[in-house]
Amino acid sequence: MPMLEVSDVHTYYGNIHALNGISISVEKGEIVTLIGGNGAGKTTTLRSIVGLLKPRQGHIVLDGEDLTQYKTHEIVNKGVAMVPEGRGIFARLTVTENLDMGAYSRKDQKGIQQDLDRVYTIFPRLKERRTQVGGTLSGGEQQMLAIGRALMTHPRLMLLDEPSMGLAPLLVESIFETIRSINKEGTTVLLVEQNALMALSIADRGYVVQTGRIVLQDKAAALRKNEMVRKAYLGEE
Amino acid sequence: MQQKTALHVHKPVGTYRYVQIILGVFFSAYLLWRLYVVLIAHPAYGPDTWLRFTIDGVVLGSVYALIAIGYTLVYGILFMINFAHGDVMMLGAFGGYFVFEALGAYKVSSSLSFLNAYPVISVILAFLAGMAVSSTAGYFLEKIAYRPLRGAPRLVPLISAVGASIFLENAAQLLFSTQRWDYTNPAVLNRGAGWNIHVGQGTVVVTYTGVLTIVVSVLIMIGLYLLVKRTRLGRAMRAVAENKSTAALMGVDVDGIISRTFIISGVLAGAAGVMWGIHLGLVYYYVGFIPGIKAFTAAVLGGIGSIPGAMLGGLFLGVVESLGPAVLGISFQLKDVIAFSILVLVLVFRPTGILGEVLSEEKV
Ligand SMILES: Nc1ncnc2c1ncn2[C@@H]1O[C@H](COP(=O)(O)OP(=O)(O)OP(=O)(O)O)[C@@H](O)[C@H]1O
Ligand SMILES: [Mg+2]
């Protein structure tokens, strides 16, 4: 049984039919990527999974439990973390306070401390900036904070929405390296990217989204060789 | 995502800017001239009177500040003006009133009521009752009048707020009639009683009720500051104010935090209501109206959404409306006009207020 099973989900913004029957599944321990162009419905899919949007139709099942009946904070407490598009850093909270927010519903002081140490080990830069408010961090530091903050919720499943957006190539590589190592340590990852090349290089499997539908799905390696993917998303002729 | 409203910044351009500057210069010059006239050329009052005005202003201002914080907390989280907030304060004032009445009627000996035998406990009970009533009212106000409208265009909850205000005033009128009720303080807190301070030729009475008001409101504001800055709830409130969906992604129950914000605003308004009763002495069904609008003015003046802004705005407004009539040489009955002129001036010339900030677009 997959860890996450999204089946035939339809989500609307008012009258706009943004997701037109999306189905994806993520196995425990995998990195799965969702690629697609602007406005394809990638963000909408993630927001539907965490309950920020309510699908009008379809099911989203996490380890056997239907998530569509729950509110966002309940879904997060079931072990789903999301690093939102644009990072969503609390600009007026310090780095430490941002990280503390990640641990908001946790009571296990020891576990929280361990995760905090882990975040500071992964991103030593954040430790240096501890007392600085989020709004004054650079784009890259904000992305580190967003990922660190998601780790503080101690998730089973981590959803990342375009973590490479606006970052220098070198930093993109290091962020993807981090995602890979987070996954190795046991967190399942669903990664949304426009940077298909990078995403497919670390993912096990991938889905291609177009206008609210899955048009293609395969092993990451196979997708990289796929004619249509190469043309549309890898910028090759 | 969020639409700009009248409370947002708009940059004055061209001639408008010059009109502003010219008006500002004229107004400042006029103020300076008035100050010269009343203080030096034809001193209208002695220093004792000026001191008395100032103290009165600080006392009133600290009440406005408590109420203003409620407007600002709610605005910071929901981007709406809770126009029923003054009425929430009124309910709290009645809560304290009935505690004093009950304790006044309860005799501990043949000639001594509980109220006068244990004034400290009585005052504490009155404050607790006022805060309990107002916070309950705030909680249900949000649940009934605002929560169902979450996600509706911003004007809609505003209309609901005005409706809720009318409802609460009418309900209070049914319950308490149109009579003005005398707040019976414990004897030691008699209105007008206080310490006499000699200033120049005269004496100034620093009233016990005034000092109580200032002390309690400062304590509450310190408590609020610690709550917002140091506690988990406070951190969550700040996170929700910045970005609701990201806060939810941290596992924060956003609706729960909104409820708590209304409860906290209610606690502050309830305390303000009891202070109003104890210091000024009369409560009635629309007693929250004027202080409500004044506190709204204070919140806008300080920059709505900013807690320190609400505190400063409240204090500033209290002092200005207390000194204003004397400085401008107009009738003291016009002090409300001063407050509302300030509201209009701020909304027109500096809608972000003194400590106001540009609200970020992604906040909603
Ligand atoms: N708040 C909204 N209101 C109305 N329509 C929206 C809203 N957000 C997204 N949409 C529409 O839903 C569709 C899917 O948008 P979505 O944000 O999921 O795309 P995306 O794949 O994440 O794109 P990008 O890579 O540009 O972030 C688009 O057609 C978009 O215009
Ligand atoms: Mg997107």
Side-chain angles (χ1 to χ4, degrees):
Chain A
M1 191 180 69
M3 176 183 235
L4 177 75
E5 176 95 69
V6 175
S7 43
D8 191 33
V9 163
H10 292 254
T11 303
Y12 291 74
Y13 294 100
N15 293 325
I16 301 168
H17 196 163
L19 296 189
N20 209 327
I22 289 265
S23 299
I24 56 179
S25 68
V26 183
E27 300 286 340
K28 187 168 166 27
E30 271 190 316
I31 299 184
V32 172
T33 185
L34 218 57
I35 56 181
N38 287 114
K42 306 181 297 294
T43 299
T44 308
T45 304
L46 294 192
R47 290 173 69 88
S48 302
I49 294 171
V50 293
L52 286 171
L53 294 168
K54 287 287 164 217
R56 264 196 221 166
Q57 191 186 318
H59 293 283
I60 296 165
V61 178
L62 178 77
D63 285 333
E65 195 177 13
D66 196 331
L67 295 182
T68 49
Q69 54 179 320
Y70 293 111
K71 290 193 191 173
T72 301
H73 66 103
E74 294 165 325
I75 294 171
V76 171
N77 293 340
K78 288 179 191 300
V80 182
M82 172 157 143
V83 178
E85 191 173 43
R87 300 157 193 138
I89 295 304
F90 299 117
R92 293 138 133 279
L93 270 56
T94 64
V95 168
T96 319
E97 286 178 322
N98 267 280
L99 292 173
D100 285 345
M101 283 309 299
Y104 180 76
S105 349
R106 293 175 64 183
K107 301 274 182 294
D108 55 323
Q109 287 309 324
K110 249 181 83 183
I112 294 175
Q113 190 55 48
Q114 276 170 8
D115 279 335
L116 190 63
D117 293 341
R118 179 178 171 216
V119 169
Y120 283 148
T121 314
I122 301 175
F123 303 115
R125 187 78 73 86
L126 291 182
K127 192 166 189 177
E128 291 164 26
R129 305 279 142 120
R130 264 188 318 244
T131 55
Q132 206 169 315
V133 293
T136 61
L137 297 179
S138 74
E141 289 163 347
Q142 289 193 357
Q143 191 61 62
M144 294 173 197
L145 182 55
I147 295 175
R149 199 176 54 177
L151 283 175
M152 292 302 293
T153 68
H154 204 79
R156 280 188 276 170
L157 171 66
M158 185 138 127
L159 316 177
L160 294 123
D161 197 346
E162 300 203 32
S164 74
M165 192 165 63
L167 302 186
L170 217 59
L171 199 55
V172 172
E173 269 186 47
S174 103
I175 292 280
F176 274 77
E177 205 40 61
T178 309
I179 295 170
R180 203 209 300 258
S181 74
I182 290 170
N183 173 254
K184 286 242 170 63
E185 288 164 34
T187 309
T188 308
V189 171
L190 176 56
L191 171 66
V192 158
E193 262 302 336
Q194 290 217 27
N195 188 338
L197 187 64
M198 285 303 287
L200 289 173
S201 74
I202 66 162
D204 300 300
R205 291 188 301 115
Y207 292 84
V208 177
V209 196
Q210 258 175 28
T211 56
R213 286 193 183 83
I214 302 291
V215 293
L216 201 58
Q217 66 180 82
D218 211 331
K219 292 246 179 321
L223 283 179
R224 266 194 302 187
K225 298 199 191 91
N226 182 289
E227 190 73 9
M228 174 216 148
V229 173
R230 294 170 71 105
K231 274 206 177 127
Y233 303 112
L234 300 178
E236 296 173 15
E237 277 308 314
Chain B
M1 273 185 180
Q2 187 186 327
Q3 287 166 359
K4 302 224 163 189
T5 69
L7 294 176
H8 284 241
V9 219
H10 59 112
K11 288 219 165 62
V13 276
T15 47
Y16 185 61
R17 176 84 214 151
Y18 290 111
V19 172
Q20 267 194 9
I21 292 173
I22 291 166
L23 282 178
V25 168
F26 267 111
F27 189 66
S28 311
Y30 177 71
L31 258 188
L32 282 176
W33 175 69
R34 283 303 315 179
L35 280 172
Y36 167 76
V37 170
V38 293
L39 292 178
I40 297 157
H42 312 282
Y45 308 100
D48 54 325
T49 311
W50 287 114
L51 181 63
R52 203 186 74 223
F53 288 154
T54 310
I55 294 173
D56 284 350
V58 172
V59 173
L60 264 189
S62 61
V63 179
Y64 293 159
L66 283 187
I67 309 172
I69 291 169
Y71 280 106
T72 254
L73 285 177
V74 167
Y75 186 86
I77 276 188
L78 287 183
F79 305 98
M80 67 160 286
I81 309 295
N82 177 12
F83 279 117
H85 193 54
D87 303 300
V88 168
M89 174 216 141
M90 171 271 294
L91 293 175
F94 271 105
Y97 168 82
F98 285 114
V99 167
F100 276 174
E101 289 303 302
L103 297 179
Y106 179 62
K107 299 278 183 240
V108 288
S109 71
S110 58
S111 61
L112 197 59
S113 65
F114 186 98
L115 186 69
N116 289 322
Y118 306 102
V120 176
I121 298 177
S122 301
V123 168
I124 291 174
L125 286 176
F127 272 104
L128 289 180
M131 297 195 268
V133 169
S134 287
S135 55
T136 312
Y139 174 80
F140 283 107
L141 176 68
E142 190 269 334
K143 266 226 139 106
I144 297 167
Y146 305 144
R147 181 162 305 181
L149 303 173
R150 197 79 41 79
R154 289 171 47 141
L155 192 59
V156 178
L158 226 54
I159 294 168
S160 184
V162 174
S165 167
I166 295 171
F167 170 81
L168 288 176
E169 280 179 26
N170 281 282
Q173 188 183 346
L174 278 178
L175 285 171
F176 314 128
S177 85
T178 54
Q179 192 182 330
R180 293 168 173 251
W181 302 89
D182 258 312
Y183 232 78
T184 349
N185 295 352
V188 291
L189 272 182
N190 263 344
R191 265 175 292 282
W195 294 280
N196 292 317
I197 295 178
H198 297 278
V199 180
Q201 319 289 331
T203 41
V204 179
V205 185
V206 179
T207 60
Y208 299 137
T209 56
V211 172
L212 177 81
T213 299
I214 294 174
V215 169
V216 173
S217 94
V218 167
L219 287 179
I220 290 177
M221 286 192 256
I222 292 173
L224 180 85
Y225 176 84
L226 293 176
L227 175 94
V228 170
K229 281 283 178 209
R230 300 280 168 82
T231 67
R232 178 170 173 271
L233 171 61
R235 212 184 318 119
M237 286 170 66
R238 285 182 286 145
V240 170
E242 270 202 48
N243 189 327
K244 284 185 199 50
S245 44
T246 312
L249 287 176
M250 304 294 109
V252 177
D253 176 5
V254 174
D255 281 337
I257 296 296
I258 293 173
S259 278
R260 270 168 242 184
T261 304
F262 273 84
I263 290 174
I264 293 168
S265 301
V267 166
L268 269 57
V274 175
M275 288 171 188
W276 190 270
I278 289 179
H279 185 65
L280 295 175
L282 286 176
V283 288
Y284 39 95
Y285 72 99
Y286 62 94
V287 70
F289 180 69
I290 291 286
I293 295 194
K294 298 269 178 72
F296 170 61
T297 305
V300 172
L301 187 63
I304 191 138
S306 153
I307 296 176
M311 296 176 180
L312 285 179
L315 222 53
F316 179 82
L317 189 71
V319 172
V320 164
E321 76 168 23
S322 181
L323 291 177
V327 171
L328 299 176
I330 57 179
S331 158
F332 282 86
Q333 284 165 352
L334 290 179
K335 74 187 181 99
D336 291 350
V337 174
I338 293 182
F340 301 135
S341 311
I342 289 178
L343 178 61
V344 171
L345 287 176
V346 174
L347 284 177
V348 170
F349 291 114
R350 195 172 159 77
T352 52
I354 304 168
L355 300 185
E357 66 212 274
V358 184
L359 290 163
S360 59
E361 295 274 312
E362 70 265 31
K363 259 183 146 182
V364 166

